[in-house]
């Protein structure tokens, strides 16, 4: 292993990246753009749920209930209607997601301390929003019944749940730490996947393999600049997450960066392995890199969908998705302030993945034309 | 390797790609310091052979030694002692002249002091010193090719493999390039060069002619001309060369078109000249000139191909 050779390759790669606008924009522009686009687009928070009200009671108490809904911030009252037909119309035309039906005897029931019932219709075609809306309705109704002093709407069990780690239940807080991982998994592999395929495609590899350069020197020389770029990217993404999106970083930023560098190392090695496998075609290499990182990282990492809810075979597959480990690490450090020893298993598996892919890349690279 | 004067030795070397036999049991022996020409038309197996010798391509059968190292098992050892210039320009087009030289100096791990000296040398031989900051993509062909040569010999290899180094380069640059090759050969470097330019073959100390994967002749250029051209070659200038060729073919004369001229191979020039002149004139073809010439290697090659 000769330092001069590794240095020559690293330097050459850096010059090439620096002179190639496409590489530069994939390296530095794309991750931030994706972070902002996805960061704003993906949200599980439901606000301003359009609601129609069919108030058959028309009392001061029923108006108070409607006001309670409006002031919660989650509901917008888009219309008052006078019949079920009209409710149909609003829901079908998608002008409302929720209909609130207050029965005629509503105020009377409350006054006489009988359990008062309110009818609610929710548009279930977007089941995620429907579930959340349902939760909010119960919460608002609960608050309302507490406020009407002396009157209780069947508070048989008083449940007081507390949410830990993300008390505001802002979905952005758990999306951003995972999103950083998904974006970086894709960018790092995509960027690196071109490096060896490009040399075969342009014919420069033929010259290179006629020299005494060793496969490991070539791979390490190429790893270094992409690793550095990946690390800078992840640093930018974390800063954007904390300072722009206001996601609290509870744990140690150094532990996060340390483990991030293991993740980036694995990603870069994976990109190189792809580049070697896609011999001679940059197009094939970039397709392979996208397919093999984006979908697994997005769907199987636990970023969006909890792994424990997946069918067993799919759960098994997630173990070979390195993003899975780093999503756990990133969410853990960001939201729970987890320390290194709590993330030991994930860190270990991430290291094993990086080492395995590095060895595979070295084995796979042949200094011969086939 | 018993013989210390041999730089490259190959016995029964073959390479198949599926059913296609690109190189068919060839044998070669090249002395140290020789300029060895490997001649043949495109697709004859020249590049395949050179890649096997450089350790880039594994042979299907046969044995070969380059600088005393086995091409089957010691290809990495070979790579330390050779320079290789591939057919396709294979430096980094997005790097400048100097950056390319720096890169290959690093790859050959040339120490800093030596590196300065070698870089200067490349600037000189390629006549490229004032273009050191030019991005390689923007260099004219002749410069590119001399820079590629410079980068391939930065580490002063004892054996140099050049695959069609002069293809697509203007005649002046080709001349310059051959002067460089001579210089290196004089300094003791063995040069293995492939070409399909027959006129370049005369520059070589020794030649092998390869056709459809097989070596059909070898020797010094003059030997080849004498051994394989016992017959005479007539150069005929006519007004309708294609028709003339047809007439000659029909009467069993071996002939080929060279530019606008016809070369005919005959047993005796003196006997054949009046016969051929009469034959052509009878067919209404005007013979402007007919004379006996010293056969070129191209004539030799055409004859050999017709024989095989």
């Amino acid at each position: 292993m000769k330092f001069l050779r590794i240095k020559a390759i690293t330097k050459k790669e850096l010059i090439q990246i620096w002179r190639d606008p496409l590489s530069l924009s994939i390296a530095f522009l794309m991750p931030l753009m994706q972070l902002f686009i996805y960061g704003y687009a993906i949200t599980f928070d439901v606000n301003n749920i359009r609601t129609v009200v069919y108030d058959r009671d028309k009392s001061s108490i029923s108006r108070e209930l409607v006001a309670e809904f409006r002031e919660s911030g989650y509901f917008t009252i888009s219309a008052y209607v006078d019949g079920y037909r009209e409710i149909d119309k609003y829901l079908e035309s998608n002008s409302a997601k929720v209909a609130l039906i207050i029965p005629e005897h509503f105020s009377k029931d409350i006054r006489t301390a009988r359990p008062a019932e309110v009818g609610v219709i929710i548009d279930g075609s977007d089941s995620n929003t429907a579930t959340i809306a349902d939760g909010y309705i119960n919460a608002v109704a609960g608050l309302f019944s507490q406020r009407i002093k002396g009157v209780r709407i069947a508070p048989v069990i008083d449940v007081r749940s507390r949410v830990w780690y993300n008390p505001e239940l802002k979905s952005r807080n758990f999306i951003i730490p995972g999103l950083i991982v998904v974006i970086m998994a894709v960018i790092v592999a995509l960027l690196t996947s071109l490096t060896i395929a490009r040399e075969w495609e342009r014919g420069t590899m033929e010259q290179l393999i006629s020299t005494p350069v060793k496969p490991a020197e070539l791979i390490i020389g190429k790893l270094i600049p992409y690793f550095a770029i990946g690390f800078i990217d992840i640093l930018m993404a974390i800063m954007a997450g904390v300072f722009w999106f206001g996601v609290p970083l509870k744990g140690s930023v150094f532990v996060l960066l340390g483990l991030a560098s293991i993740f980036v190392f694995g990603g870069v090695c994976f990109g190189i392995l792809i580049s070697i496998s896609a011999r001679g075609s940059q197009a094939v290499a970039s397709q392979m890199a996208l397919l093999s990182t984006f979908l697994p990282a997005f769907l199987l990492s636990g970023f969006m969908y909890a792994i424990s809810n997946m069918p067993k075979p799919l759960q098994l597959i997630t173990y070979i998705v390195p993003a899975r480990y780093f999503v756990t690490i990133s969410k853990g450090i960001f939201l729970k302030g987890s320390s290194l020893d709590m993330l030991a298993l994930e860190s270990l598996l991430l290291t094993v993945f990086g080492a395995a892919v590095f060895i595979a890349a070295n084995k796979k690279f042949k200094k011969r034309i086939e | 390797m018993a013989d210390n004067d041999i730089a490259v030795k190959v016995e029964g070397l073959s390479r198949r790609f599926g059913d296609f036999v690109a190189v068919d049991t060839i044998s070669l022996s090249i002395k140290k310091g020789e300029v060895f020409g490997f001649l043949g038309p495109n697709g004859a197996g020249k590049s395949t052979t050179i890649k096997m010798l450089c350790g880039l391509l594994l042979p299907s059968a046969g044995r070969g030694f380059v600088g005393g190292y086995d091409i089957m098992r010691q290809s990495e050892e070979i790579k330390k002692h050779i320079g290789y210039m591939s057919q396709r320009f294979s430096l980094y087009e997005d790097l400048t002249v100097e950056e390319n030289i720096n890169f290959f100096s690093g790859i050959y791990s040339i120490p800093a002091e030596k590196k300065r000296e070698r870089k200067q040398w490349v600037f000189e031989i390629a006549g490229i010193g004032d273009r050191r900051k030019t991005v390689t993509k923007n260099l004219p062909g002749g410069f590119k090719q001399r820079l590629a040569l410079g980068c391939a010999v930065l580490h002063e290899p004892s054996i140099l493999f050049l695959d069609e180094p002069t293809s697509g380069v203007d005649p002046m640059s080709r001349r310059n390039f051959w002067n460089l090759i001579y210089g290196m050969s004089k300094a003791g470097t063995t040069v293995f060069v492939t070409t399909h330019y027959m006129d370049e073959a005369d520059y070589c100390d020794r030649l092998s002619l390869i056709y459809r994967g097989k070596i059909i002749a070898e020797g010094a250029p003059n030997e080849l001309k004498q051994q394989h051209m016992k017959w005479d070659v007539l150069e005929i200038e006519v007004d309708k060369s294609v028709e003339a060729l047809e007439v000659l073919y029909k009467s069993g004369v071996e002939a080929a078109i060279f530019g606008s001229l016809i070369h005919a191979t005959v047993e005796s020039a003196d006997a054949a000249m009046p016969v051929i002149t009469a034959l052509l004139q009878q067919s209404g073809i005007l013979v402007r000139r007919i004379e006996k010439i010293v056969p070129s290697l191209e004539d030799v090659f055409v004859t050999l191909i017709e024989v095989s």
Side-chain angles (χ1 to χ4, degrees):
Chain A
M1 195 88 80
K2 283 197 170 142
F3 174 69
L4 266 177
R5 289 198 194 124
I6 295 175
K7 193 178 124 194
I9 293 162
T10 299
K11 208 167 160 188
K12 181 217 83 174
E13 266 333 289
L14 280 174
I15 297 172
Q16 286 186 308
I17 297 168
W18 184 245
R19 294 211 178 123
D20 178 24
L22 183 69
S23 294
L24 269 185
S25 47
I26 295 179
F28 297 109
L29 225 55
M30 217 162 113
L32 281 183
M33 260 172 57
Q34 288 189 338
L35 187 66
F36 282 103
I37 292 171
Y38 288 122
Y40 282 112
I42 305 174
T43 171
F44 297 128
D45 296 344
V46 178
N47 294 314
N48 302 320
I49 305 166
R50 289 187 301 275
T51 308
V52 288
V53 177
Y54 181 17
D55 186 356
R56 302 175 69 181
D57 190 35
K58 293 201 167 78
S59 65
S60 62
I61 292 181
S62 72
R63 278 192 292 276
E64 251 180 85
L65 177 68
V66 174
E68 187 83 39
F69 269 86
R70 193 192 300 119
E71 277 149 29
S72 71
Y74 299 122
F75 300 90
T76 317
I77 310 300
S78 34
Y80 289 88
V81 296
D82 285 314
Y84 287 101
R85 275 250 173 100
E86 268 187 276
I87 291 176
D88 263 9
K89 231 171 53 195
Y90 274 95
L91 289 181
E92 268 171 30
S93 64
N94 216 13
S95 312
K97 289 271 175 202
V98 170
L100 186 64
I101 301 138
I102 304 170
E104 288 163 30
H105 45 82
F106 180 68
S107 49
K108 206 168 100 197
D109 284 345
I110 287 180
R111 262 183 268 114
T112 54
R114 261 183 296 173
E117 283 180 350
V118 172
V120 171
I121 300 170
I122 304 174
D123 176 1
S125 56
D126 177 355
S127 63
N128 190 39
T129 307
T131 314
I132 293 164
D134 188 38
Y136 287 158
I137 289 164
N138 282 315
V140 171
L143 276 174
F144 181 74
S145 59
Q146 276 178 21
R147 244 172 26 85
I148 311 280
K149 268 220 157 132
V151 185
R152 294 196 161 181
I153 304 174
V156 188
I157 303 166
D158 187 7
V159 181
R160 297 188 180 195
S161 39
R162 270 178 73 189
V163 179
W164 282 16
Y165 309 132
N166 182 10
E168 299 152 274
L169 271 180
K170 269 196 198 156
S171 66
R172 186 164 291 153
N173 285 359
F174 82 84
I175 283 172
I176 298 286
L179 187 61
I180 292 172
V181 179
V182 175
I183 292 172
M184 288 320 299
V186 177
I187 295 288
V188 167
L190 184 64
L191 201 59
T192 323
S193 72
L194 300 175
T195 173
I196 285 176
R198 186 192 296 132
E199 299 229 22
W200 282 111
E201 201 169 285
R202 294 190 184 162
T204 51
M205 189 56 90
E206 199 175 310
Q207 193 67 49
L208 212 46
I209 59 172
S210 77
T211 72
V213 70
K214 293 193 176 65
E217 291 163 342
L218 185 67
I219 289 171
I220 293 171
K222 279 176 176 286
L223 278 179
I224 293 169
Y226 292 103
F227 176 81
I229 290 172
F231 191 78
I232 293 170
D233 279 347
I234 231 165
L235 197 63
M236 290 194 317
I238 290 172
M239 291 197 332
V242 173
F243 297 115
W244 182 269
F245 288 106
V247 180
L249 176 54
K250 296 227 174 96
S252 155
V253 68
F254 298 106
V255 174
L256 182 59
L257 286 175
L259 295 177
S261 59
I262 300 176
F263 175 68
V264 172
F265 174 77
V268 170
C269 290
F270 186 65
I272 286 200
L273 182 63
I274 286 175
S275 203
I276 295 167
S277 313
R279 225 163 195 196
S281 170
Q282 293 188 71
V284 170
S286 57
Q287 289 297 316
M288 276 169 71
L290 268 179
L291 277 178
S292 59
T293 53
F294 182 69
L295 289 179
F298 206 87
L299 300 174
L300 300 178
S301 67
F303 154 60
M304 287 265 265
Y305 312 105
I307 293 170
S308 53
N309 292 346
M310 294 174 190
K312 265 274 171 296
L314 219 50
Q315 284 195 26
L316 286 177
I317 294 173
T318 66
Y319 285 99
I320 57 164
V321 178
R324 175 207 158 123
Y325 304 116
F326 197 52
V327 163
T328 309
I329 289 170
S330 176
K331 282 188 179 175
I333 294 177
F334 259 104
L335 300 175
K336 300 187 200 171
S338 305
S339 58
L340 189 56
D341 53 315
M342 292 175 192
L343 300 165
L345 182 66
E346 281 79 10
S347 309
L348 178 74
L349 289 171
L350 213 52
T351 313
V352 169
F353 175 83
V357 180
F358 178 73
I359 293 167
N362 273 285
K363 283 233 155 44
K364 181 106 187 155
F365 185 75
K366 293 278 180 315
K367 278 184 73 186
R368 287 202 194 265
I369 302 162
E370 254 136 49
Chain B
M1 295 292 291
D3 199 340
N4 279 332
D5 292 338
I6 301 295
V8 177
K9 189 163 182 64
V10 163
E11 282 162 9
L13 198 65
S14 293
R15 173 68 206 208
R16 283 181 297 276
F17 294 101
D19 288 338
F20 175 66
V21 184
V23 173
D24 194 356
T25 49
I26 63 164
S27 296
L28 291 170
S29 179
I30 301 166
K31 284 203 207 81
K32 283 184 180 164
E34 223 171 25
V35 177
F36 183 86
F38 206 44
L39 251 75
N42 289 329
K46 301 189 298 288
S47 291
T48 307
T49 305
I50 219 167
K51 280 175 186 152
M52 287 192 281
L53 294 178
C54 291
L56 304 182
L57 192 67
L58 215 53
S60 309
R63 299 198 311 152
F65 295 89
V66 172
Y69 298 106
D70 188 343
I71 60 170
M72 291 287 205
R73 286 186 303 271
Q74 294 170 296
S75 58
E76 289 310 301
E77 209 50 52
I78 289 174
K79 286 170 186 173
K80 288 180 191 163
H81 299 93
I82 60 159
Y84 168 62
M85 191 176 148
S86 73
Q87 191 172 2
R88 190 172 155 194
F89 181 72
S90 53
L91 298 187
Y92 296 92
E93 300 228 316
D94 44 355
L95 261 55
T96 66
V97 168
E98 194 168 7
E99 285 162 352
N100 265 303
I101 299 173
N102 288 342
F103 174 69
F104 285 101
S105 296
I107 289 295
Y108 288 117
S109 26
I110 298 168
E113 286 153 52
K114 184 84 184 160
K115 180 184 153 187
R116 258 193 300 280
E117 179 196 318
R118 294 301 288 165
K119 192 195 277 186
Q120 212 49 51
W121 179 81
V122 175
F123 285 154
E124 259 165 53
I125 63 143
I128 215 166
D130 53 338
R131 298 186 194 233
R132 63 173 74 189
K133 299 264 184 269
T134 306
V135 175
T136 313
K137 169 168 60 199
N138 302 328
L139 282 182
F143 285 99
K144 272 189 184 175
Q145 162 231 34
R146 289 197 296 273
L147 175 64
L149 177 68
C151 288
V153 298
L154 274 171
H155 56 309
E156 300 174 89
S158 55
I159 308 170
L160 181 56
F161 291 93
L162 307 170
D163 194 0
E164 304 254 357
T166 54
S167 66
V169 171
D170 65 274
M172 254 316 274
S173 298
R174 273 168 66 186
R175 204 57 235 201
N176 279 337
F177 194 80
W178 275 97
N179 285 334
L180 284 176
I181 293 176
Y182 275 140
M184 280 184 246
S185 158
K186 276 214 190 87
T189 309
T190 310
V191 181
F192 184 109
V193 55
T194 74
T195 180
H196 65 264
Y197 290 120
M198 297 298 162
D199 58 329
E200 289 186 344
D202 275 309
Y203 301 145
C204 303
D205 295 326
R206 250 162 22 87
L207 297 170
S208 268
L209 301 187
I210 184 168
Y211 182 64
R212 293 189 179 160
K214 286 197 166 99
I215 289 181
I216 54 176
E218 67 175 308
N222 281 329
E223 277 170 28
L224 282 174
K225 288 176 195 169
Q226 279 158 18
Q227 277 172 19
H228 298 282
M229 291 306 282
K230 288 175 187 124
W231 292 15
D232 292 339
V233 175
L234 294 178
E235 191 170 82
I236 312 163
E237 193 182 335
V238 290
D239 56 347
K240 291 173 276 191
S241 45
V242 178
E243 284 91 332
L245 191 70
E246 231 166 88
V247 170
L248 292 175
Y249 265 146
K250 274 181 195 151
S251 37
V253 180
E254 256 182 48
I257 288 192
F258 281 69
S260 62
L261 303 169
I262 290 175
H263 286 191
T265 314
V266 294
E267 247 184 275
S268 150
D270 296 334
M273 268 198 286
V275 180
I276 287 179
T277 311
L279 193 66
L280 291 174
Q281 275 165 349
Q282 273 163 29
S283 316
I285 293 162
L286 175 67
V287 179
R288 294 208 178 94
R289 182 170 61 85
I290 179 162
E291 60 184 350
K292 183 184 168 182
I293 55 159
V294 178
S296 68
L297 275 169
E298 201 154 353
D299 293 310
V300 176
F301 201 63
V302 169
T303 314
L304 283 167
I305 284 174
E306 274 165 9
V307 169
S308 65

